[in-house]
Amino acid sequence: MESLQNEQQREVLMGFFKTGLGEYGEGDEFLGLKVPQTREVVKEVWKEVPLDEVPELLRSPWHEVRLCGLLILVAKFDAAAKKKQEQESKYIFIRDEILTMYLAHAEQANNWDLVDLSAPKLLGKWIMLPTNLAGETDEISYKRSVIDELAHSTNLWRQRMSMVCTWETSHQGNPSWCLRYAEMHLRHPHELMQKAVGWMLREMGKQVSMDLLRDFLKQHVSEMPRTTLRYAIEKMDDAERRFWMKV
């Protein structure tokens, strides 16, 4: 990946991902690779890289190398989550191992792209699949406790994980996770979380029920940041968007 370094693109990315003093990506370092380039590297190496070597990538000072590590986890998780493997103990163990590693290094996913390209495919899918991590605890209760811990963290990126992982649950027809964490984060002061909440509400409405989205808006529109509201209603027609913005 270092051999692909592009200085001109590096400067563009460092501006785009707000790496300046006091910005949310302060101090992050880039090689200057575009995401498709990183995906090509992942495609070549993910099968050969042992799982226990991935943390070395996740601890890299280079943004794109951390992304590579996260996408390797996604690829390995997907390989253990095929329909015929969902209930097999061997693959449940592998998925749980990957998920545990992801959570242990969650703060290394320290920008919105790193979260958004990993959380739905790891956390979101894990929520909808069998796990052994719950032990004697009810699985749903245990999974909620895991995501709740992220949601109540003081770390912005862990908080964003708790919200954007619901992209997958909504796409699988379950709106409860999105509604739970949208309500929990509804008054979040950071623009990145306001956008995430609105985005996930929009996806829930599109994938599950627009009436559920409308019911949520009826209950909460007066307390929602306008950024959140704009994102949530983006797929509605002009007349309905104007109605909600006036409310």
Side-chain angles (χ1 to χ4, degrees):
M1 293 188 74
E2 288 181 354
S3 73
L4 299 172
Q5 189 166 355
N6 182 318
E7 186 62 28
Q8 185 177 1
Q9 181 68 15
R10 174 179 178 272
E11 294 297 324
V12 172
L13 292 172
M14 289 182 71
F16 183 73
F17 286 106
K18 307 295 184 185
T19 63
L21 185 65
E23 295 181 306
Y24 59 73
E26 181 179 347
D28 203 357
E29 291 289 343
F30 285 76
L31 290 168
L33 277 65
K34 296 181 179 179
V35 172
Q37 290 177 284
T38 302
R39 288 193 182 279
E40 280 299 313
V41 174
V42 172
K43 186 177 178 181
E44 290 180 22
V45 306
W46 74 267
K47 291 181 181 178
E48 284 70 37
V49 176
L51 185 60
D52 61 5
E53 290 185 12
V54 174
E56 184 176 351
L57 301 175
L58 299 179
R59 291 190 292 265
S60 171
W62 298 115
H63 184 102
E64 297 93 335
V65 176
R66 296 198 303 282
L67 175 58
C68 181
L70 292 167
L71 293 179
I72 287 173
L73 290 183
V74 169
K76 289 182 179 295
F77 192 96
D78 280 345
K82 299 186 186 305
K83 198 70 177 175
K84 63 181 180 181
Q85 300 166 346
E86 287 182 1
Q87 306 293 330
E88 292 186 33
S89 58
K90 171 185 174 182
Y91 295 105
I92 293 174
F93 176 84
I94 292 171
R95 294 196 303 265
D96 285 346
E97 189 178 17
I98 293 168
L99 190 280
T100 300
M101 180 178 289
Y102 180 64
L103 292 174
H105 295 85
E107 290 181 23
Q108 298 303 110
N110 59 346
N111 215 311
W112 59 264
D113 62 320
L114 303 180
V115 172
D116 296 358
L117 291 171
S118 60
K121 298 297 185 182
L122 291 173
L123 274 174
K125 281 192 174 181
W126 174 78
I127 287 171
M128 304 299 286
L129 292 168
T131 180
N132 291 327
L133 295 176
E136 299 299 317
T137 308
D138 171 70
E139 270 198 24
I140 296 297
S141 298
Y142 174 77
K143 289 171 179 175
R144 279 184 185 150
S145 73
V146 170
I147 311 303
D148 282 358
E149 185 174 349
L150 292 170
H152 292 306
S153 169
T154 58
N155 179 269
L156 175 65
W157 310 115
R158 288 178 178 266
Q159 293 170 355
R160 189 171 171 101
M161 284 177 180
S162 72
M163 192 68 246
V164 302
C165 74
T166 68
W167 186 94
E168 181 68 26
T169 54
S170 292
H171 276 246
Q172 292 196 35
N174 185 334
S176 64
W177 296 87
C178 174
L179 295 172
R180 177 182 180 84
Y181 296 104
E183 191 163 348
M184 198 175 290
H185 292 305
L186 197 60
R187 300 174 190 84
H188 201 290
H190 202 291
E191 185 184 42
L192 286 178
M193 283 301 296
Q194 294 171 9
K195 290 178 178 179
V197 173
W199 172 29
M200 290 302 104
L201 285 170
R202 183 182 74 222
E203 285 299 308
M204 185 278 298
K206 184 171 70 173
Q207 298 298 326
V208 183
S209 168
M210 289 299 292
D211 285 337
L212 271 180
L213 173 56
R214 293 182 181 104
D215 288 343
F216 186 91
L217 294 176
K218 287 174 187 175
Q219 186 176 355
H220 296 292
V221 66
S222 63
E223 57 189 314
M224 294 173 74
R226 290 181 74 80
T227 296
T228 300
L229 179 58
R230 286 192 189 97
Y231 271 67
I233 64 178
E234 190 175 25
K235 296 300 181 182
M236 295 178 177
D237 63 40
D238 289 344
E240 188 167 13
R241 286 202 306 274
R242 286 195 297 271
F243 167 79
W244 288 113
M245 292 304 291
K246 285 179 182 178
V247 174

